[in-house]
Amino acid sequence: MPLEVNGKSFETDEEGYLANLSDWQPELANAMAEADGAELGENHWEVINFLRSYYEEYQIAPAVRVLTKAIGKKLGKDKGNSKYLYELFPYGPAKQACKYAGLPKPTGCV
């Protein structure tokens, strides 16, 4: 089911993840968040940008436990914990944040 942003159509899978990772742009993340009834703030973008860098380096979308640890190392313990990440991404930090970041669904996520 395609996602329409700025008059352009982007192909997604049945769960709303981008079919072509190279199509990603910040406007898509905002549109996906809006569809979920959310608005992306600075803290959301910090996690989204972290995920994009992580994926670029490791070629994998991290599951929540790995994401939490990696964010803790990079951004500090106050941000590297499940409570903080679930406040930002209530549908699951790894699953929802990866979707907004234009990455595939993390392995192990239902």
Side-chain angles (χ1 to χ4, degrees), residues 3-66:
L3 179 65
E4 295 283 330
V5 176
N6 298 330
K8 200 171 172 201
S9 186
F10 297 91
E11 209 49 49
T12 61
D13 69 10
E14 66 280 349
E15 292 184 74
Y17 289 84
L18 270 184
N20 186 352
L21 303 184
S22 63
D23 282 347
W24 187 85
Q25 53 192 265
E27 294 80 17
L28 282 172
N30 286 320
M32 289 174 176
E34 199 176 290
D36 287 343
E39 190 177 320
L40 299 178
E42 190 179 315
N43 293 336
H44 294 94
W45 282 107
E46 193 172 42
V47 174
I48 289 168
N49 290 326
F50 172 85
L51 275 168
R52 291 192 56 80
S53 295
Y54 185 96
Y55 188 84
E56 198 173 289
E57 185 173 343
Y58 299 105
Q59 296 299 299
I60 189 167
V64 72
R65 193 174 285 169
V66 176

